[in-house]
Amino acid sequence: SYAIRMRTKEFFILVGLVSVMLAPAAMAWGPTGHRIVGAAAHAMLDPKARAEVDGILAFGKQESTLEALDRACNWPDKIRDKAGWEWSSPLHYVNIPRSTRHYLAERDCPEGRCVTAAITRYANELLQPQLSAERRWQALAFLCHFVGDLHQPLHAGFRDDRGANQVKIEYLGQEWNLHRFWDSVVVGEHIDNEADMISHIVSSGPLNSSSNWNPDEVIQWTGESHALAMDAAYPEGTVISEEFARQTWQITQSQWLKASLRLARILNAVLGEPDVTLVD
């Protein structure tokens, strides 16, 4: 159809912009992963949701779609430790005991201060057009970022080692902590051109990501990431093998795909033709 042809054209324009601006690039999962997830999700939005997102992103600056997505989806990391924003820091992760595979809000997310609850909270805010342009931009930024965070397995890990930030490992003769290994080391080894990764994710997903989304699914996504933290995120010893590094990269790509598809589904549901009513 005409709409599909235009959508495909817009996607390749976006990928072209990524190629020009970001190739080659080898940065941490932080900016890289969040930018990739945001751009891939944007390409999978239905026309109404994309128009709404573009309108929200236009707050504050005149910039390209890619620049706006980059600024928004990485903004929560830039402000989490600044004065007045410290409250947002616990929203980037959830701690679940090693003794269980199941997320329990009362135990793991006191007062809704965890990434699982934050995703639904900011999806709810996007349903409220009466909010100020700044507040809606912040809600979109938080939503994009937190969906990405939830799909990093160690963001659904364990309190006793601070999401593996206190786990020391060695890889290719250098010392790191395990969280940073997942966040940046493996990603930096494999990402030469972010546009290629975005294109791969979009081509792996449906042309239109369904708007049929239930907020309770976020609990399932939390359980998935926690299972990866338990079963696949930790090496057997302190020295990372090539096999473990390869497995980490495979999981990372899979999680980026899931995050992109799921972010698109949420945005289609709340900004496109919504067929769900979100509740706190």
Side-chain angles (χ1 to χ4, degrees), residues 44-46 49 123 206 208-218 220-221 261-278:
M44 291 186 279
L45 295 178
D46 65 42
N208 283 296
S209 187
S210 169
S211 63
N212 182 22
W213 174 67
N214 186 326
D216 288 341
E217 292 177 50
V218 184
Q220 173 194 334
W221 305 345
L261 289 169
R262 290 164 174 176
L263 176 59
R265 287 182 59 217
I266 295 172
L267 292 172
N268 280 338
V270 301
L271 296 174
E273 298 295 337
D275 53 10
V276 296
T277 301
L278 304 188

Side-chain angles (χ1 to χ4, degrees), residues 81-102:
D81 296 322
K82 290 187 176 180
W85 291 98
E86 298 92 343
W87 59 267
S88 70
S89 188
L91 305 184
H92 290 255
Y93 59 87
V94 58
N95 290 315
I96 302 174
R98 294 177 184 269
S99 58
T100 181
R101 290 181 175 270
H102 303 290

Side-chain angles (χ1 to χ4, degrees), residues 8 23 33 39 66-67 69 74 100 121 130 160 175 262:
T8 303
L66 177 66
E67 290 169 332
L69 285 165
N74 281 300
T100 181
R121 170 183 171 180
Q130 74 276 15
D160 56 43
E175 293 184 353
R262 290 164 174 176

Side-chain angles (χ1 to χ4, degrees), residues 188-204:
E189 275 197 329
H190 289 89
I191 293 291
D192 292 323
N193 189 320
E194 293 179 23
D196 290 343
M197 180 57 63
I198 295 168
S199 179
H200 171 71
I201 290 172
V202 174
S203 65
S204 299

Side-chain angles (χ1 to χ4, degrees), residues 168-270:
K168 304 301 181 184
I169 57 94
E170 179 182 321
Y171 180 58
L172 299 180
Q174 296 190 57
E175 293 184 353
W176 313 90
N177 72 60
L178 185 60
H179 194 108
R180 186 175 179 187
F181 173 77
W182 276 85
D183 265 356
S184 61
V185 178
V186 171
V187 173
E189 275 197 329
H190 289 89
I191 293 291
D192 292 323
N193 189 320
E194 293 179 23
D196 290 343
M197 180 57 63
I198 295 168
S199 179
H200 171 71
I201 290 172
V202 174
S203 65
S204 299
L207 183 63
N208 283 296
S209 187
S210 169
S211 63
N212 182 22
W213 174 67
N214 186 326
D216 288 341
E217 292 177 50
V218 184
I219 296 174
Q220 173 194 334
W221 305 345
T222 302
E224 288 178 3
S225 284
H226 183 61
L228 287 172
M230 294 183 73
D231 299 336
Y234 290 76
E236 291 185 3
T238 58
V239 178
I240 299 293
S241 66
E242 289 186 12
E243 180 182 356
F244 184 85
R246 184 165 52 250
Q247 173 185 287
T248 299
W249 176 234
Q250 290 171 347
I251 292 172
T252 296
Q253 293 176 88
S254 175
Q255 291 299 96
W256 282 352
L257 172 60
K258 289 180 180 180
S260 301
L261 289 169
R262 290 164 174 176
L263 176 59
R265 287 182 59 217
I266 295 172
L267 292 172
N268 280 338
V270 301

